[in-house]
Amino acid sequence: MDEGGSRIRRRVSLPKRNRPSLGCIFVAPTAAELEPGDEGKEEEEMVAENRRRKTAGVLPVEVQPLLLSDSPECLVLGGGDTNPDLLRRMPTDRGVGDQHNDSEEDMFGDYDSFTENSFIAQVDDLEQKYMQLPEHKKHATDFATENLYSESIKNKLSITTIGNLTELQTDKHTENQSGYEGVTVEPGADLLYDVPSSQAIYFENLQKSSNDLGNCSMKERDWKSSSHNTVNEELPHNCIEQPQQNDEASSKVRISSDMNRRKSIKDHLKSAMTGNAKAQTPVFSRSKQLKDTLLSEEINVAKKTIESSSNDLGPFYSLPSKVRDLYAQFKGIEKLYEWQHTCLTLNSVQERKNLIYSLPTSGGKTLVAEILMLQELLCCRKDVLMILPYVAIVQEKISGLSSFGVELGFFVEEYAGSKGRFPPTKRREKKSLYIATIEKGHSLVNSLIETGRIDSLGLVVVDEVGTTQIIGMSATLNNVEDLQKFLQAEYYTSQFRPVELKEYLKINDTIYEIDSKAENGMTFSRLLNYKYSDTLKKMDPDHLVALVTEVIPNYSCLVFCPSKKNCENVAEMICKFLSKEYLKHKEKEKCEVIKNLKNIGNGNLCPVLKRTIPFGVAYHHSGLTSDERKLLEEAYSTGVLCLFTCTSTLAAGVNLPARRVILRAPYVAKEFLKRNQYKQMIGRAGRAGIDTIGESILILQEKDKQQVLELITRPLENCYSHLVQEFTKGIQTLFLSLIGLKIATNLDDIYHFMNGTFFGVQQKILLKEKSLWEITVESLRYLTEKGLLQKDTICKSEEEVQYNFHITKLGRASFKGKRTIDLAYCDILYRDLKKGLEGLVLESLLHLIYLTTPYDLVSQSNPDWMIYFRQFSQLSPAEQNVAAILGVSESFLGKKASGQAIRKKVDKDVVNRLYLSFVLYTLLKETNIWTVSEKFNMPRGYIQNLLTGAASFSSCVLHFCEELEEFWVYRALLVELTKKLTYCVKAELIPLMEVTGVLEGRARQLYSAGYKSLMHLANANPEVLIKTIDHLSRRQAKQIIASAKMLLHEKAEALQEEVEELLRLPSDFPGAVASSTDKA
């Protein structure tokens, strides 16, 4: 509409379906815009309008024209900044009561016909009015009707033209007619943006006939000065009116011409709408567009709130209300605990200060951290690093947060094992949440410092614990003051626990409740009332059967055992004395668990699990594969399994709460239990939202009573720096990083930095024999002697000398590849790689596998010499040649296997490392962990841990070789080897196993069901997935799909960034500086 045109106010009937904004509107005339003096017409128009309008929910809306339809006579209008993509298509016939629009949202709601309340209805009404006019007023009303019609068209619909196809305007009437302004519409260059195909065809046809139309318009302009203006812009060129005659015959011809004209307009409108309906254009969800717009607006508001340090926290703690809805949808969290609200509203949090907070296990610490991370990602537009202690917990957290990333528009990236890019991919718009283990987190931060991108990191969250805010959380923290001083952080603590925990001790048949107010720390609770046979007393002296049967199968129970073997024995013992009734509880589901365990084991099943699972009992320790552990954890979480016998590692790992927790003995292996370990274990008792109470029972012998009483009353152990305990992994690695990143390069600066570390804060406690200065000097000397650093002496004056350090090529390679490499092994690795270049055997992978077998696992290797000799004998001549190059002969192994004395000295570390290489080599060839486990008589879990360690170490060796030109030959070889070690499956399963939470067994299931790529998974329907894949819960299906979508988005973003980088003008382009200077 031109500037002179007035905006049109009309009423829009709202259909039953909620529509937050207008997608497309057809303008209807209102009574106020009829001829002022014509009351009869006004009344009739009101009646017609009332007939067309629904009575409920009418709102006045200002609209402006948005998009030209198939003809100049038909305009589709949209309000405000509505995207043209959102405009809907129309049904194809005027009477379409039985048909439905196949788009996602029907524009007409419950209306039966698209003519109701539409522009065609207006034409009908005008035509009826015209026909009802008295015969003797024909001449007097011709122009009035024409005025009414023209005003309705021009004032309601400002006709927009495309480019220079047409320029339609209405000249001024002569003074004796009812005057109205002509409307000239400026052409819009961008109006062909994403128009329907029907419109594009129409405009092509219009271009061809534009000259004829222009000629006719010129003739009309010559004619119009005689009596009146015409409205030929509303008419086809073959329906232009002739000059008015005064005789009756001419009047009849005019009436007929007007009727034909109106009929032609009506037909043209119908044709245009039909063309729109038939046009093949993508269907866009208006509701999704509106939700995204709302989310964007809320994020902008939250950003302003945070920037202004306002106390107004917005819809959900400075986050969009969608975040609250997602927590309700994905995690069932409707409301925060009081302590969580208090913690999130602390001044220190609002002021972005470092924070440490400590609560009991299961208190809800993670939710606070997640909300703070989302604030940083969405509102502050910064990346976030979350550091977790174990790979399994990293993967669990990745699965849980991927759905949030997909919905809220940020990436969730895994940095654990061999996964993770250094430096991380630089994103164009979206921010990243890095979830990492401690070692990977360290390397990630180093890579960001090295590339000058550390400012992009806004928040670091550490579980179990500048420009970056640090949030530390823990359930077992005592010496908080040291950590506060080190981090310069605020501290928040609470004893809140959503489920009450009652602690008990069991001595013989008596159970005591722990009571801090009692004289000896405990009070009598009850006697065990369970009938034991003589056989049962011998088999179960600790009364475990009695304790577990009080809660299972209706409630869950965890029994912590001192060793892995004890876990299996206890599980079998309990099942021997359980009644047959336990077999009937969820019998079908337990059969399904056994079936799935067989599937992931290629038909193999642990005999112990085969006997215990039917009773709802299973053991859980590191001897199981990650596939097996995951499947058993899922079965326990859903209530199919009701009892786990497990080691202490479960307490610090995945979250598997229980109604009752039993500690089989106050020992972990042969070490007496620590207070921190005890609190971690009993913290699993009580499931929020399920149990009203949690119970822990520690079984002890009379001889351990005094130690246990001290255990339950003493404070938690202090937290100490590990820098001094592990020099090569601690202080020396830190110094190499400081100098490599040029944070500190001279002795004084390095010493000053050390004073600011946690170790520096605790130096008075930790350092008894040497000072911090002496340790700093010794560590730098060790690195220089190793050839990792080079010392430069600078004389500032005759008396003052300054020592500067810079990193050598070997040091840089160690610094780059130090993801898991202990600096003590750097020179050994260099020597092994150098020796490998002299005669690298490439006929098989054995030589490369040996070079990437982790050094730190060698000490744990205890070869079975008979198995070693047997496996060696089965090697090919080329593979035996590898052993010969390394100095391990068949005769040596034969003598060891037969128990003969060995006179010739052989490097024990090389022999043990080669044995582990045999295990890995066999696994890569057969890809069946069960077969390899039987061949080498090793636990399946140990073999899998060896594989994971080798994959990670192979990645480190690759980075090491990339920094040293002499090892260029290893680069391409190690890339492929690392991939093989990471997945150790058939090539077709690798794309599926890139998805977090999809292990070999699940990948095989998905592949068999037809999901063979990342795209297949990302577009999967969770309901179909549940029906297709055995033993897959709805929650797991949604997490897998969300993780696949996240990974797909990451890859797409990386490719887009690569394209933009290729097309971007280089900053050092010749002449770029000169041209910018010229512009200035």
Side-chain angles (χ1 to χ4, degrees):
M1 186 177 291
D2 64 336
E3 293 180 2
S6 61
R7 285 194 172 185
I8 304 159
R9 184 170 294 278
R10 60 164 296 229
R11 294 183 180 273
V12 181
S13 296
L14 298 181
K16 291 179 182 178
R17 203 177 302 175
N18 287 334
R19 300 189 182 279
S21 71
L22 298 174
C24 56
I25 301 167
F26 287 92
V27 175
T30 61
E33 289 158 325
L34 296 174
E35 291 279 328
D38 201 337
E39 295 179 4
K41 293 177 184 177
E42 180 177 351
E43 184 176 348
E44 288 174 0
E45 180 68 10
M46 288 297 293
V47 171
E49 184 178 351
N50 289 334
R51 174 172 56 83
R52 293 191 299 269
R53 186 189 303 153
K54 298 271 185 182
T55 56
V58 291
L59 294 170
V61 180
E62 276 197 334
V63 296
Q64 292 180 1
L66 181 65
L67 183 65
L68 186 63
S69 184
D70 280 20
S71 71
E73 290 82 17
C74 176
L75 294 176
V76 182
L77 302 186
D81 297 326
T82 307
N83 192 321
D85 294 344
L86 299 178
L87 296 177
R88 298 296 178 207
R89 299 293 173 248
M90 314 283 247
T92 56
D93 289 313
R94 180 166 179 168
V96 285
D98 298 330
Q99 297 180 10
H100 299 283
N101 192 347
D102 62 354
S103 66
E104 183 174 328
E105 294 188 30
D106 180 12
M107 183 181 74
F108 299 102
D110 297 325
Y111 292 122
D112 291 333
S113 171
F114 75 114
T115 61
E116 184 170 321
N117 199 21
S118 69
F119 184 79
I120 292 180
Q122 298 170 44
V123 177
D124 280 338
D125 290 340
L126 290 171
E127 185 176 351
Q128 288 171 16
K129 289 183 179 67
Y130 185 85
M131 296 302 295
Q132 290 169 5
L133 292 174
E135 190 66 28
H136 66 276
K137 291 185 179 180
K138 284 179 183 177
H139 295 281
T141 58
D142 276 343
F143 289 112
T145 305
E146 189 168 312
N147 252 354
L148 171 65
Y149 177 74
S150 183
E151 283 287 352
S152 176
I153 298 296
K154 289 189 296 180
N155 290 345
K156 309 287 187 296
L157 307 174
S158 292
I159 299 170
T160 306
T161 57
I162 307 301
N164 292 319
L165 294 179
T166 60
E167 181 173 336
L168 306 176
Q169 65 178 26
T170 305
D171 296 323
K172 283 190 176 181
H173 246 295
T174 53
E175 289 183 2
N176 62 319
Q177 300 297 335
S178 192
Y180 57 125
E181 293 181 0
V183 180
T184 304
V185 184
E186 295 180 4
D190 60 342
L191 291 177
L192 273 176
Y193 172 76
D194 202 23
V195 297
S197 55
S198 59
Q199 290 182 344
I201 295 169
Y202 173 79
F203 291 137
E204 288 177 10
N205 295 334
L206 194 61
Q207 175 69 46
K208 295 176 184 178
S209 60
S210 61
N211 292 334
D212 295 337
L213 183 61
N215 292 337
C216 293
S217 298
M218 287 297 293
K219 291 177 183 178
E220 289 304 314
R221 287 193 187 98
D222 293 338
W223 166 81
K224 69 183 176 187
S225 59
S226 61
S227 57
H228 63 78
N229 288 337
T230 64
V231 286
N232 61 356
E233 62 271 30
E234 271 88 46
L235 303 177
H237 66 276
N238 59 344
C239 295
I240 299 175
E241 281 191 49
Q242 300 300 318
Q244 183 182 357
Q245 304 296 328
N246 291 326
D247 58 287
E248 189 174 344
S250 298
S251 298
K252 289 181 180 179
V253 172
R254 271 191 87 261
I255 293 169
S256 175
S257 175
D258 288 343
M259 290 177 65
N260 290 336
R261 177 181 64 187
R262 282 155 179 74
K263 185 176 180 182
S264 175
I265 291 172
K266 211 159 56 175
D267 290 343
H268 211 138
L269 290 170
K270 286 172 61 180
S271 174
M273 294 176 184
T274 301
N276 273 350
K278 290 180 179 178
Q280 298 296 318
T281 54
V283 176
F284 297 92
S285 170
R286 288 181 60 207
S287 59
K288 186 179 186 306
Q289 294 279 350
L290 291 167
K291 286 177 183 176
D292 290 346
T293 302
L294 179 63
L295 176 63
S296 177
E297 288 175 359
E298 287 189 340
I299 288 175
N300 288 334
V301 171
K303 279 179 67 177
K304 290 175 182 176
T305 301
I306 286 182
E307 289 168 1
S308 63
S309 302
S310 169
N311 291 325
D312 179 13
L313 295 180
F316 185 66
Y317 297 96
S318 299
L319 288 166
S321 54
K322 184 174 182 179
V323 176
R324 179 180 54 214
D325 298 338
L326 290 176
Y327 270 108
Q329 178 186 345
F330 295 144
K331 299 192 175 185
I333 297 173
E334 301 283 351
K335 187 179 179 182
L336 271 64
Y337 297 131
E338 186 61 35
W339 83 263
Q340 291 171 330
H341 173 76
T342 303
C343 188
L344 286 168
T345 53
L346 290 171
N347 287 335
S348 56
V349 173
Q350 302 301 314
E351 295 167 8
R352 294 179 54 76
K353 293 181 179 177
N354 293 343
L355 173 70
I356 302 168
Y357 61 100
S358 176
L359 282 98
T361 303
S362 302
K365 298 181 295 296
T366 304
L367 179 59
V368 171
E370 287 179 4
I371 290 173
L372 292 173
M373 290 191 298
L374 290 175
Q375 286 180 359
E376 199 70 24
L377 288 161
L378 300 179
C379 304
C380 299
R381 305 297 297 160
K382 292 268 192 175
D383 296 329
V384 174
L385 170 61
M386 186 179 199
I387 297 176
L388 299 170
Y390 302 111
V391 174
I393 305 179
V394 168
Q395 293 175 341
E396 183 184 32
K397 186 59 66 178
I398 290 274
S399 297
L401 290 176
S402 289
S403 300
F404 286 83
V406 171
E407 293 290 335
L408 298 171
F410 61 86
F411 292 113
V412 182
E413 301 185 40
E414 180 179 350
Y415 280 78
S418 60
K419 292 187 177 180
R421 295 184 61 174
F422 299 96
T425 304
K426 191 174 182 179
R427 305 296 181 187
R428 296 180 307 142
E429 295 177 2
K430 294 183 179 180
K431 296 304 172 182
S432 292
L433 168 57
Y434 310 114
I435 303 182
T437 54
I438 297 169
E439 296 83 5
K440 287 283 184 177
H442 177 210
S443 301
L444 177 65
V445 171
N446 280 356
S447 67
L448 289 173
I449 294 172
E450 190 175 21
T451 54
R453 289 167 50 194
I454 191 63
D455 286 346
S456 66
L457 190 65
L459 178 68
V460 175
V461 173
V462 184
D463 189 3
E464 303 297 343
V465 258
T467 57
T468 302
Q469 184 183 10
I470 298 175
I471 305 293
M473 54 180 171
S474 176
T476 53
L477 199 58
N478 187 35
N479 56 328
V480 182
E481 297 80 10
D482 290 348
L483 275 173
Q484 275 187 274
K485 186 177 179 181
F486 163 52
L487 294 174
Q488 299 177 13
E490 300 292 323
Y491 177 60
Y492 177 84
T493 186
S494 170
Q495 295 304 311
F496 171 81
R497 208 175 186 278
V499 179
E500 183 186 0
L501 173 62
K502 291 192 174 182
E503 301 175 45
Y504 297 96
L505 302 176
K506 178 191 165 296
I507 306 173
N508 299 323
D509 292 342
T510 310
I511 294 180
Y512 300 90
E513 183 174 356
I514 294 176
D515 183 1
S516 57
K517 297 177 183 177
E519 186 176 347
N520 60 351
M522 61 182 188
T523 56
F524 173 79
S525 178
R526 62 188 173 99
L527 288 172
L528 271 179
N529 186 19
Y530 189 86
K531 294 181 180 179
Y532 266 73
S533 63
D534 292 337
T535 306
L536 183 54
K537 282 181 181 178
K538 290 178 182 178
M539 295 287 292
D540 182 23
D542 294 326
H543 307 96
L544 280 172
V545 175
L547 292 172
V548 300
T549 51
E550 289 178 347
V551 290
I552 65 169
N554 296 323
Y555 297 97
S556 56
C557 182
L558 295 175
V559 179
F560 285 100
C561 304
S563 66
K564 288 183 281 191
K565 189 62 182 173
N566 192 237
C567 288
E568 299 176 32
N569 293 339
V570 168
E572 283 205 280
M573 181 274 294
I574 289 174
C575 290
K576 284 180 182 178
F577 297 100
L578 290 178
S579 69
K580 303 292 183 183
E581 292 297 316
Y582 287 89
L583 295 171
K584 298 177 183 177
H585 182 76
K586 298 194 175 182
E587 185 176 3
K588 185 180 177 182
E589 290 89 341
K590 287 184 285 194
C591 289
E592 200 66 31
V593 173
I594 291 175
K595 179 185 171 185
N596 284 302
L597 280 171
K598 281 185 178 179
N599 287 338
I600 63 176
N602 291 321
N604 298 288
L605 177 64
C606 170
V608 176
L609 292 175
K610 185 178 180 180
R611 289 190 290 269
T612 61
I613 287 176
F615 289 93
V617 179
Y619 68 87
H620 185 289
H621 58 60
S622 60
L624 294 167
T625 66
S626 51
D627 271 333
E628 290 171 321
R629 285 200 303 271
K630 192 170 185 65
L631 200 150
L632 292 174
E633 288 162 8
E634 291 168 2
Y636 178 86
S637 298
T638 53
V640 176
L641 299 178
C642 53
L643 174 64
F644 264 175
T645 57
C646 50
T647 54
S648 60
T649 52
L650 185 139
V654 291
N655 186 24
L656 294 174
R659 172 66 172 268
R660 177 175 288 180
V661 170
I662 301 170
L663 279 68
R664 171 80 171 74
Y667 292 91
V668 174
K670 295 180 181 180
E671 296 289 325
F672 196 80
L673 201 61
K674 294 179 181 177
R675 175 71 172 166
N676 289 351
Q677 293 172 322
Y678 171 74
K679 294 294 283 184
Q680 284 278 13
M681 291 181 194
I682 68 171
R684 297 298 177 196
R687 297 169 297 173
I690 301 174
D691 299 325
T692 55
I693 195 171
E695 300 172 336
S696 72
I697 301 174
L698 171 58
I699 300 172
L700 64 145
Q701 306 301 319
E702 195 67 45
K703 64 181 180 68
D704 295 322
K705 183 178 176 180
Q706 192 56 42
Q707 269 187 291
V708 168
L709 289 175
E710 291 175 5
L711 169 73
I712 61 176
T713 54
R714 76 165 71 111
L716 292 165
E717 286 82 9
N718 286 336
C719 173
Y720 293 112
S721 170
H722 277 236
L723 284 179
V724 70
Q725 296 174 12
E726 301 175 341
F727 266 177
T728 54
K729 283 187 178 178
I731 289 179
Q732 291 165 12
T733 300
L734 174 62
F735 285 179
L736 199 64
S737 299
L738 286 177
I739 296 166
L741 295 171
K742 298 180 180 178
I743 295 173
T745 55
N746 63 64
L747 183 57
D748 292 336
D749 289 346
I750 294 170
Y751 175 69
H752 178 72
F753 183 93
M754 283 299 295
N755 274 297
T757 63
F758 190 44
F759 177 60
V761 170
Q762 295 182 323
Q763 58 180 298
K764 291 181 180 178
I765 303 170
L766 298 176
L767 299 178
K768 303 295 183 184
E769 299 176 358
K770 296 179 182 178
S771 67
L772 183 60
W773 175 266
E774 290 174 319
I775 287 176
T776 303
V777 172
E778 281 183 14
S779 298
L780 289 169
R781 184 186 301 121
Y782 173 86
L783 291 171
T784 306
E785 290 171 357
K786 278 270 189 179
L788 302 173
L789 292 179
Q790 185 171 325
K791 184 169 71 172
D792 301 321
T793 305
I794 299 174
C795 298
K796 287 191 171 184
S797 63
E798 293 182 1
E799 298 179 355
E800 188 179 359
V801 177
Q802 180 176 301
Y803 297 103
N804 280 6
F805 296 88
H806 70 263
I807 199 165
T808 62
K809 285 186 177 181
L810 178 61
R812 181 161 294 282
S814 305
F815 161 65
K816 288 281 190 177
K818 71 177 185 330
R819 316 288 182 232
T820 53
I821 297 178
D822 190 325
L823 291 182
Y825 301 126
C826 283
D827 53 344
I828 301 173
L829 175 63
Y830 181 83
R831 187 180 67 239
D832 286 346
L833 291 171
K834 193 77 173 173
K835 187 177 180 181
L837 289 177
E838 297 171 8
L840 188 62
V841 179
L842 294 177
E843 291 182 46
S844 74
L845 289 174
L846 181 59
H847 202 167
L848 276 176
I849 289 172
Y850 173 82
L851 293 173
T852 56
T853 301
Y855 292 106
D856 54 352
L857 295 180
V858 172
S859 59
Q860 304 172 21
S861 175
N862 188 21
D864 183 315
W865 297 108
M866 282 301 297
I867 294 173
Y868 204 162
F869 180 71
R870 191 184 308 122
Q871 292 298 318
F872 188 95
S873 303
Q874 295 172 4
L875 296 176
S876 68
E879 291 164 347
Q880 288 187 0
N881 186 35
V882 174
I885 292 172
L886 297 173
V888 180
S889 64
E890 187 174 9
S891 62
F892 168 79
L893 295 177
K895 289 179 180 179
K896 291 291 287 185
S898 61
Q900 298 179 34
I902 306 294
R903 295 181 181 178
K904 185 180 178 182
K905 188 177 180 181
V906 178
D907 192 328
K908 182 183 176 183
D909 288 340
V910 172
V911 174
N912 289 357
R913 192 178 183 209
L914 183 61
Y915 184 67
L916 294 180
S917 301
F918 279 8
V919 177
L920 290 168
Y921 182 52
T922 308
L923 186 59
L924 282 186
K925 284 197 298 183
E926 300 187 9
T927 69
N928 187 334
I929 203 165
W930 280 84
T931 309
V932 178
S933 175
E934 290 172 5
K935 276 186 178 180
F936 289 90
N937 193 25
M938 286 180 170
R940 302 180 301 283
Y942 175 81
I943 293 173
Q944 194 169 57
N945 290 338
L946 172 63
L947 181 67
T948 304
S952 183
F953 187 72
S954 177
S955 175
C956 297
V957 176
L958 172 60
H959 289 293
F960 184 89
C961 293
E962 284 175 341
E963 294 299 317
L964 296 171
E965 189 62 33
E966 58 194 299
F967 294 142
W968 64 270
V969 71
Y970 287 113
R971 295 174 195 168
L973 298 171
L974 289 174
V975 168
E976 288 304 312
L977 180 63
T978 302
K979 202 170 185 179
K980 286 178 179 289
L981 289 168
T982 300
Y983 299 108
C984 192
V985 292
K986 293 178 180 178
E988 61 264 22
L989 298 182
I990 290 177
L992 299 176
M993 291 186 66
E994 289 179 351
V995 178
T996 302
V998 176
L999 302 174
E1000 183 183 356
R1002 185 72 79 203
R1004 204 180 298 117
Q1005 283 181 309
L1006 291 166
Y1007 191 85
S1008 300
Y1011 297 95
K1012 300 183 178 182
S1013 69
L1014 196 62
M1015 288 76 77
H1016 287 162
L1017 276 185
N1019 291 286
N1021 184 326
E1023 299 303 322
V1024 175
L1025 214 56
I1026 294 165
K1027 295 174 183 176
T1028 310
I1029 307 300
D1030 292 336
H1031 205 72
L1032 182 70
S1033 68
R1034 183 172 281 99
R1035 180 181 62 85
Q1036 292 160 350
K1038 288 181 177 179
Q1039 284 182 348
I1040 287 174
I1041 292 169
S1043 296
K1045 283 182 179 177
M1046 179 63 63
L1047 197 55
L1048 203 60
H1049 290 171
E1050 283 180 26
K1051 291 189 174 186
E1053 183 83 7
L1055 288 172
Q1056 288 172 353
E1057 176 62 30
E1058 189 176 344
V1059 169
E1060 290 190 4
E1061 188 65 33
L1062 286 170
L1063 298 176
R1064 193 177 294 130
L1065 185 68
S1067 57
D1068 58 349
F1069 182 74
V1073 177
S1075 61
S1076 61
T1077 307
D1078 293 342
K1079 287 181 183 178

